[in-house]
Amino acid sequence: MRGLCLLLLIGLLPGCSSLSYLHHSWQGQRDLLARAEPLEQVLQNPATEPQLAKRLQQAQRIRAFASQQLKLPDNASYTRYADLQRPYALWNLFVAAPLSMDAVPHCYPFFGCIAYKGYFDQASADAAAEQWRAKGMEVYVAGIPAYSTIGWYDDPLLNSMLHWDDDYLAELLFHELAHQQYYVKDDTAFNESFASFVGKQGLREWRAAQGLGARQRDPRALEREFVQLLLTAREQLVALYASEASDSAKLAGKAKVFSQLRADYRQWRDQHWQGVAPYDHWFAGELNNARLLPFGLYDQWIPAFAQLYAQSSDWPDFYRRVEALGALPEAQRATALQRLLEASAPAKAD
């Protein structure tokens, strides 16, 4: 789930889901901010491990590139560092009905509705998941390395963002800053696809600026193949649930889709690995609708934004076009994105 760099819309405003969740969110955010130290202070501390210092210095260069070259917000975000003493920044809960690929939305004043709910510790997310499961819903809890407060706070760099290579870090920072650049209420797929495109295109430009050029062998190519397996199953389920079949027939068809997904995965895995593969742990869990929800939210409109970028003269022009799209009523926005998607079909930019 490396690619999941999700948006946490913390419940700091009146009217949010419950007082307990408000308290949980406030305490978690406060703890995170209290741990944050200016990067200069961390780098000057003789106790800072050399490898960490090297990564933080690279993060500084990436952060400067984001504002100077990609024209992303130039603010204090990612100029501090916080070690959370845990592997993930938070855990996101996805919920879906047994015969639906639509996420149960979680709504907040000002921010609108999103397709997941964030928790600062796994136990709280698991407890909330059990409550939804008791109502007959399907659930999935995913640990994620970073989130954006969309400019409400100066988001710090986190230890959970540094587990992987510098390419991952660059793409992640560009993605999160894109959420600060522009955000549309009630449209998770738009927001995440936009940020994902900015992350990917930004990485390409960052590598070029570093003299690294295009990667001859993309280390994430297999990850994209894995995601495509899941997206194919997701599309099959969407079509099944929209059909005129009875509920019992849909449930039977659903079981066949998941059974075929497991078989397709085993075949694909055995083509690339001998023994245990890095995605086996994902298939070790229960396969259900909620587990597939994240795949699609972050990919659906990426080619459409790539097409829009190709039509733009520079990054500021691209952002203006994105804002114009976001200002459209929901149905018109979806139509415009679909047209861009169709126009991008020959190239299929990622």
Side-chain angles (χ1 to χ4, degrees):
M1 301 299 295
R2 283 175 28 175
L4 301 182
C5 308
L6 307 180
L7 200 64
L8 173 69
L9 300 182
I10 52 176
L12 301 180
L13 303 173
C16 291
S17 56
S18 68
L19 289 177
S20 61
Y21 182 71
L22 284 169
H23 179 74
H24 170 88
S25 297
W26 167 239
Q27 291 292 345
Q29 183 67 30
R30 187 174 68 171
D31 174 71
L32 184 149
L33 293 175
R35 293 173 182 269
E37 303 177 67
L39 287 180
E40 293 79 5
Q41 182 175 320
V42 178
L43 291 171
Q44 292 171 8
N45 187 340
T48 299
E49 295 181 358
Q51 182 60 30
L52 174 59
K54 182 179 179 181
R55 298 301 305 282
L56 294 180
Q57 288 168 344
Q58 181 73 328
Q60 285 182 311
R61 290 188 284 268
I62 293 169
R63 179 65 184 87
F65 182 87
S67 295
Q68 294 168 8
Q69 302 301 321
L70 307 184
K71 307 305 179 183
L72 289 166
D74 187 2
N75 54 34
S77 289
Y78 309 115
T79 62
R80 295 177 300 153
Y81 174 71
D83 187 344
L84 300 178
Q85 302 292 313
R86 59 180 187 261
Y88 294 108
L90 51 90
W91 285 258
N92 276 1
L93 169 63
F94 296 84
V95 183
L99 293 176
S100 174
M101 284 308 304
D102 294 328
V104 171
H106 303 278
C107 300
Y108 307 84
F110 302 107
F111 294 110
C113 299
I114 56 175
Y116 45 80
K117 193 170 186 177
Y119 294 85
F120 282 93
D121 65 80
Q122 187 172 5
S124 296
D126 288 342
E130 285 303 317
Q131 294 177 359
W132 281 102
R133 188 178 284 113
K135 298 177 183 178
M137 304 297 278
E138 297 183 349
V139 298
Y140 175 50
V141 174
I144 64 166
Y147 66 91
S148 172
T149 58
I150 324 179
W152 280 79
Y153 296 98
D154 294 326
D155 299 318
L157 284 163
L158 307 173
N159 65 295
S160 54
M161 301 167 70
L162 304 178
H163 293 324
W164 299 283
D165 61 21
D166 287 344
D167 280 357
Y168 177 90
L169 177 60
E171 185 174 337
L172 177 57
L173 287 177
F174 301 151
H175 179 115
E176 298 302 340
L177 286 166
H179 282 312
Q180 294 188 21
Q181 177 69 35
Y182 189 65
Y183 172 79
V184 178
K185 287 178 63 175
D186 305 326
D187 198 336
T188 302
F190 181 97
N191 294 323
E192 294 298 347
S193 295
F194 163 63
S196 293
F197 169 75
V198 173
K200 293 175 185 298
Q201 180 61 29
L203 176 59
R204 284 189 279 267
E205 297 185 16
W206 162 257
R207 286 184 60 84
Q210 304 308 303
L212 299 174
R215 293 169 291 187
Q216 292 185 352
R217 183 174 182 180
D218 187 346
R220 297 191 183 89
L222 289 177
E223 181 179 338
R224 286 200 296 270
E225 289 182 19
F226 169 73
V227 170
Q228 188 55 53
L229 286 174
L230 307 184
L231 290 176
T232 298
R234 190 181 191 278
E235 291 168 2
Q236 292 170 346
L237 291 171
V238 168
L240 174 66
Y241 299 152
S243 72
E244 297 298 324
S246 65
D247 285 355
S248 60
K250 289 179 180 179
L251 289 172
K254 172 184 176 181
K256 290 181 180 178
V257 169
F258 281 127
S259 178
Q260 185 62 51
L261 175 59
R262 286 190 183 277
D264 291 343
Y265 170 71
R266 287 192 297 268
Q267 181 180 14
W268 174 79
R269 176 196 63 190
D270 294 344
Q271 292 174 354
H272 299 286
W273 288 278
Q274 294 180 348
V276 178
Y279 301 106
D280 286 355
H281 72 283
W282 193 89
F283 275 90
E286 175 192 4
L287 292 186
N288 60 33
N289 297 335
R291 200 171 186 86
L292 292 180
L293 283 176
F295 305 97
L297 289 176
Y298 311 97
D299 310 273
Q300 182 176 356
W301 301 119
I302 289 178
F305 285 110
Q307 181 68 15
L308 191 65
Y309 180 78
Q311 298 172 359
S312 306
S313 59
D314 53 20
W315 279 102
D317 183 39
F318 170 66
Y319 297 140
R320 285 191 291 270
R321 292 169 184 260
V322 170
E323 290 181 19
L325 268 180
L328 294 173
E330 182 179 359
Q332 293 181 31
R333 182 164 65 242
T335 298
L337 285 166
Q338 186 61 40
R339 288 173 180 164
L340 287 166
L341 193 65
E342 291 168 358
S344 74
K348 278 287 184 184
D350 66 348

